[in-house]
Amino acid sequence: MNSFSRAVRGIWVHDSSVERVIAPQVANFSSISFSGKKIEGVQQVQPDVMANRDMSSLIGGGVRDVFGEDSATEEQIITPWTRAVASGVELLRDPRYNKGTAFNEKERDTHYLRGLLPPAYLTQDLQVKRILDNIRSYEEPLQKYIAIMDLLERNERLFYKVLIDNIEELLPVVYTPTVGEACQKYGLIFQRPHGLYISLKERGRIQDVLKNWPEKNVRVIVVTDGERILGLGDLGVQGMGIPVGKLGLYVALGGIRPSLCLPVAIDVGTNNQKLFEDPYYIGLRQKRATGQEYDDLIHEFMFAVKQEYGEKILVQFEDFANHNAFKLLAKYRETHLVFNDDIQGTAAVALAGVLAALRLTGGNLADQRYVFLGAGEAGTGIAELIATETSRTAKISIEEARKKLWLVDSQGLVTKSRFESLQHFKQNYAHEHEPCEDLLSTVKALKPTILIGTSGKGGTFTKEAIEALASFNEKPVIFALSNPTSQSECTAEQAYTWTKGRCVFASGSPFNPVTIDGKTYYPGQSNNAYIFPGMGLGCVISGAIRVHDDMFLVAAETLASLVTKEHLKEGLVFPPLQDIRKISAHIAADVAAKAYDLGLATRLPRPADLLAYAESCQYSPLYRPFR
Ligand SMILES: NC(=O)C1=CN([C@@H]2O[C@H](COP(=O)(O)OP(=O)(O)OC[C@H]3O[C@@H](n4cnc5c(N)ncnc54)[C@H](OP(=O)(O)O)[C@@H]3O)[C@@H](O)[C@H]2O)C=CC1
Ligand SMILES: CC(=O)C(=O)O
Ligand SMILES: [Mg+2]
């Protein structure tokens, strides 16, 4: 609901043109300005609370009592937020409401804009075209990134309209691979902050920091501590580019409203020496905090977000190093609505790709032998979801299913003889076998049908290994999932060339189609961006309170089911990204259905048609008329 409502001495007044919270001005809502008139003794009520008539959330120790109105919150500090109608220059500077040259004559009069804009009126479609022409004129991807993020700071709806209408062209700009370079240079290109920075300096007062964020109805947080940004390693607080980018996709690909999204970078220092030497580095210049100090900061954050936003706040862990990622997921999945995108989101997209690939290569999950190069979050996350689905569909035990999946890490094949020294997340895949030092010897020994790269190291699928794979598979399946492009285990061209065009190929970052001997091959993009926006939307629309693994299984099956015979004919094992909003709505509906079935959904009654409901909830970037 876009209108916001105020209770004025018991009378409801709906003001559809305004919903923005502006800087603190008035303490304890004793007077506010309304339609240009000052009104004394006005009581403001949170719009989302009134919209949902969720009166229960007004009581009970102040979780929602942001204005400090009940005696249970007397000891709690409040932030004196207020709301006002923006007009004139302030309106043009407000990215949520600015339409630039698309303000019509009437709006220019009503909102004191006359003379502040050039006389011409441009439709939003023409503005989109103009922005695209500008972006296309830049040669460097980073320049394109800066230009489009600059648009987000000026005109939010136009930013999302440009992105949604041109998703295939612009995804590589706002997301992988360019976001990787943007993170590496985040200090240099820094203009305005886009998310919330929580560092060790904020220890003990994280909830106060959350209160500084202007949106009160946050429903989705993407948080990173910057230690494993794509395959680029520790980028410290400059990893902020990832939560910002992922939440941009929550809006553009999933249809979650921008005001519900909060990007967070947790800064516990960095072990990246290069960043210490960078004069423009924007984070704490200290070695990473570890152990109790780290755990305490994360714990304070996790409970502050629940205290501030309630039980249904979705927290997506992103790009944590694996020594923290598994631990945090295990710790908070019992108490919070959380998932780890690198472990679980990646697993779902890869399983979907495998299910679709099997329609091309023949056979079923249980007939396959899998080798993973990389045994971390992504590798073991995918392995476990494939094992779960294999166990379910082939009616075999999970232990039997796991025996079909083999991991190679930086020390070679993961085997039983290495069990004691292995990190816990690899141990389920430590099978009996002679040691194999590298990928080539592993491929020769195990003869896999499916090869998956999750090593974070570029060029690690060697010509010899791929040729060996192709020597005993008519249609080898090759997924090079590491990001960004520089870290991809091989390129699309290499995969098609080395297999003489016989492979089914997908990669984490996009590759252009490849033409060999007059035949064109279309690589797919196996990226968790297919999953997390729909997963988030499904959680939000169902009011889910926990994320269950079955929700990822269902997301994978739904995604795979949307691959048509026509896509397969072109060698594509994922549906085209240009259909992503529809895809996300389907995933959201099925995830929500699973949440209801598992008793994890709180939005009651359950909508009869969840797909129609999901679509109706999706954010539209079209400009709204102003009165
Ligand atoms: N396409 C997608 O949607 C996604 C892609 N990714 C990408 O996957 C990559 C890995 O991420 P993640 O799993 O979180 O990282 P981790 O650090 O958790 O795991 C990396 C794994 O790769 C192994 N490894 C490193 N170098 C080599 C090598 N030369 N040969 C063999 N194994 C090697 C490591 O070995 P050891 O354990 O011995 O250190 C480790 O097991 C990243 O590039 C990331 O961008 C991640 C999530 C989603
Ligand atoms: C895509 C993603 O989440 C990653 O590369 O880490
Ligand atoms: Mg990630």
Side-chain angles (χ1 to χ4, degrees):
M1 174 157 169
N2 279 325
S3 70
F4 105 87
S5 314
R6 288 174 177 149
V8 181
R9 293 202 174 121
I11 301 168
W12 283 103
V13 180
H14 292 269
D15 181 348
S16 59
S17 68
V18 193
E19 62 175 355
R20 174 176 173 252
V21 179
I22 63 163
Q25 287 171 4
V26 184
N28 282 339
F29 51 82
S30 56
S31 80
I32 63 166
S33 193
F34 186 65
S35 289
K37 290 182 194 129
K38 202 171 183 193
I39 300 174
E40 297 295 330
V42 173
Q43 195 175 5
Q44 267 182 264
V45 185
Q46 246 192 305
D48 63 297
V49 169
M50 299 317 299
N52 299 330
R53 299 291 191 272
D54 184 4
M55 304 308 283
S56 63
S57 61
L58 282 172
I59 53 172
V63 169
R64 279 279 169 200
D65 185 15
V66 289
F67 300 111
E69 291 168 299
D70 60 38
S71 50
T73 61
E74 271 168 7
E75 298 301 310
Q76 199 175 304
I77 59 147
I78 64 155
T79 305
W81 290 106
T82 184
R83 286 166 185 269
V85 178
S87 63
V89 166
E90 288 309 314
L91 180 55
L92 297 181
R93 289 186 182 151
D94 182 340
R96 175 81 30 99
Y97 290 104
N98 181 27
K99 305 186 200 178
T101 48
F103 278 115
N104 64 28
E105 295 294 320
K106 182 169 163 279
E107 289 168 336
R108 291 179 192 209
D109 280 336
T110 314
H111 295 280
Y112 305 97
L113 298 172
R114 197 150 287 284
L116 299 182
L117 288 164
Y121 165 79
L122 268 61
T123 62
Q124 195 180 20
D125 283 341
L126 194 54
Q127 286 182 317
V128 169
K129 196 169 169 306
R130 183 172 57 84
I131 296 291
L132 266 185
D133 282 345
N134 272 293
I135 291 173
R136 285 173 184 161
S137 73
Y138 295 114
E139 280 180 13
E140 294 299 320
L142 190 62
Q143 290 176 316
K144 293 178 196 269
Y145 176 89
I146 294 169
I148 196 157
M149 294 315 283
D150 192 43
L151 175 63
L152 179 59
E153 290 176 7
R154 292 197 312 273
N155 185 333
E156 186 178 274
R157 283 183 185 271
L158 188 56
F159 169 84
Y160 284 113
K161 181 93 170 75
V162 172
L163 192 51
I164 289 166
D165 289 356
N166 301 278
I167 204 73
E168 297 209 346
E169 180 175 346
L170 295 180
L171 200 59
V173 178
V174 299
Y175 191 51
T176 183
T178 311
V179 73
E181 187 185 357
C183 288
Q184 288 173 313
K185 298 178 182 162
Y186 214 67
L188 176 70
I189 64 173
F190 186 83
Q191 293 184 2
R192 274 200 236 171
H194 281 293
L196 212 50
Y197 291 86
I198 297 178
S199 77
L200 289 168
K201 286 200 239 173
E202 279 71 56
R203 241 177 319 202
R205 47 186 180 163
I206 292 180
Q207 201 181 343
D208 298 350
V209 176
L210 293 175
K211 288 180 195 298
N212 290 343
W213 186 251
E215 303 295 346
K216 297 297 138 205
N217 188 25
V218 173
R219 294 297 301 276
V220 186
I221 291 174
V222 177
V223 58
T224 188
D225 72 354
E227 194 170 1
R228 195 287 276 143
I229 295 299
L230 308 177
L232 301 172
D234 182 351
L235 297 185
V237 83
Q238 300 196 160
M240 175 60 105
I242 295 294
V244 168
K246 294 259 175 186
L247 283 162
L249 305 197
Y250 262 104
V251 178
L253 277 52
I256 305 250
R257 267 177 283 149
S259 59
L260 305 190
C261 300
L262 171 57
V264 176
I266 301 234
D267 188 356
V268 294
T270 175
N271 295 341
N272 183 339
Q273 190 57 35
K274 263 192 174 168
L275 294 177
F276 288 139
E277 289 157 16
D278 178 353
Y280 304 128
Y281 180 58
I282 53 173
L284 294 181
R285 286 167 194 272
Q286 64 171 75
K287 289 275 173 211
R288 277 188 178 274
T290 57
Q292 199 62 43
E293 194 182 8
Y294 177 89
D295 293 347
D296 286 351
L297 192 76
I298 302 284
H299 199 63
E300 187 188 340
F301 168 72
M302 291 304 289
F303 279 87
V305 298
K306 207 157 128 176
Q307 178 69 13
E308 192 60 18
Y309 305 119
E311 188 78 12
K312 289 177 272 179
I313 180 75
L314 173 63
V315 179
Q316 171 171 325
F317 292 121
E318 192 68 51
D319 289 10
F320 285 72
N322 62 39
H323 58 98
N324 286 318
F326 288 99
K327 191 177 72 183
L328 294 178
L329 180 61
K331 183 169 176 184
Y332 293 108
R333 66 186 304 163
E334 304 302 331
T335 52
H336 289 66
L337 180 69
V338 292
F339 71 92
N340 180 300
D341 190 36
D342 301 297
I343 302 171
Q344 297 167 286
T346 313
V349 73
L351 171 60
V354 167
L355 289 172
L358 293 182
R359 285 161 61 194
L360 277 174
T361 61
N364 54 42
L365 287 174
D367 302 331
Q368 311 305 310
R369 255 185 329 281
Y370 306 80
V371 165
F372 291 80
L373 187 71
E377 296 167 61
T380 60
I382 299 167
E384 195 62 8
L385 201 68
I386 292 179
T388 306
E389 183 73 342
T390 307
S391 151
R392 195 182 67 80
T393 52
K395 303 202 182 343
I396 56 174
S397 69
I398 185 88
E399 291 76 19
E400 274 307 300
R402 284 182 186 135
K403 286 186 185 152
K404 300 168 191 302
L405 299 127
W406 297 81
L407 309 178
V408 177
D409 65 11
S410 63
Q411 309 303 307
L413 183 62
V414 170
T415 56
K416 200 90 185 170
S417 59
R418 293 177 54 196
F419 188 87
E420 294 306 328
S421 63
L422 290 173
Q423 289 141 298
H424 67 91
F425 46 87
K426 299 175 184 171
Q427 287 179 336
N428 282 333
Y429 297 90
H431 311 311
E432 291 289 357
H433 201 278
E434 292 299 302
C436 290
E437 266 182 18
D438 56 17
L439 181 65
L440 179 60
S441 52
T442 304
V443 167
K444 284 182 174 167
L446 292 170
K447 298 193 170 34
T449 53
I450 298 181
L451 177 64
I452 299 181
T454 51
S455 64
K457 296 282 182 304
T460 40
F461 284 174
T462 57
K463 184 167 185 275
E464 293 72 27
I466 297 295
E467 283 178 348
L469 183 74
S471 70
F472 41 73
N473 285 294
E474 198 192 319
K475 281 186 195 295
V477 177
I478 302 172
F479 288 176
L481 300 187
S482 292
N483 297 315
T485 316
S486 59
Q487 308 309 107
S488 187
E489 283 77 9
C490 67
T491 65
E493 185 167 6
Q494 288 169 333
Y496 292 120
T497 307
W498 296 338
T499 60
K500 300 193 169 32
R502 283 189 283 122
C503 69
V504 177
F505 179 80
S507 54
S509 299
F511 282 105
N512 288 329
V514 176
T515 303
I516 303 170
D517 296 334
K519 186 164 179 206
T520 301
Y521 302 89
Y522 298 92
Q525 189 175 352
S526 179
N527 193 293
N528 50 32
Y530 271 108
I531 298 293
F532 67 79
M535 176 62 60
L537 185 64
C539 288
V540 169
I541 64 170
S542 64
I545 51 162
R546 294 290 179 272
V547 180
H548 192 283
D549 284 341
D550 285 0
M551 288 151 77
F552 283 99
L553 272 184
V554 120
E557 286 166 356
T558 301
L559 180 58
S561 74
L562 296 171
V563 180
T564 64
K565 282 185 190 150
E566 286 66 39
H567 301 143
L568 291 174
K569 249 188 230 158
E570 297 201 319
L572 285 171
V573 288
F574 295 98
L577 274 163
Q578 70 198 25
D579 297 336
I580 187 68
R581 278 170 77 89
K582 259 202 164 338
I583 296 166
S584 295
H586 277 275
I587 292 175
D590 292 351
V591 161
K594 183 54 80 178
Y596 280 106
D597 293 348
L598 293 168
L600 295 173
T602 61
R603 191 211 172 275
L604 297 170
R606 173 178 176 153
D609 184 343
L610 276 167
L611 178 58
Y613 183 61
E615 283 176 335
S616 74
C617 292
Q618 285 186 311
Y619 167 77
S620 156
L622 296 179
Y623 290 140
R624 301 294 192 274
F626 287 15
R627 65 180 187 170

